[in-house]
Amino acid sequence: SRMVEALQAQATPEAEDRLANLEELVNSIRDYERDAEEPGLTAWLERVSLVSAADVEGGGVSMMTVHAAQGLE
């Protein structure tokens, strides 16, 4: 995708972190689609929202709404 290409072109540590986060997000969605009886966006969001920062050791994917992200970049 163009987002991946743009991050690869930046060649910065931050861009590499973002690429890793995108890859983890895609892997999470693929795992969910494979394992869920009736996959859907709402059910996936409920599933990932149950994982808190305390549940993740050694890193993870941070998710936020577009509204919460405004002004961060």
Side-chain angles (χ1 to χ4, degrees):
S1 76
R2 294 193 330 200
M3 177 183 272
V4 171
E5 291 171 0
L7 289 171
Q8 288 172 335
Q10 289 178 14
T12 64
E14 293 83 11
E16 290 177 17
D17 288 343
R18 289 181 181 175
L19 282 169
N21 287 342
L22 283 172
E23 183 177 325
E24 187 62 32
L25 175 63
V26 170
N27 288 337
S28 171
I29 294 168
R30 286 183 181 149
D31 289 346
Y32 170 74
E33 288 179 331
R34 181 190 65 231
D35 298 338
E37 289 182 24
E38 294 183 36
L41 178 60
T42 302
W44 179 78
L45 289 172
E46 288 173 0
R47 178 179 171 180
V48 297
S49 69
L50 294 176
V51 177
S52 70
D55 296 330
V56 178
E57 292 183 17
V61 175
S62 298
M63 295 183 68
M64 67 177 62
T65 64
V66 173
H67 178 76
Q70 287 179 345
L72 293 179
E73 298 246 341

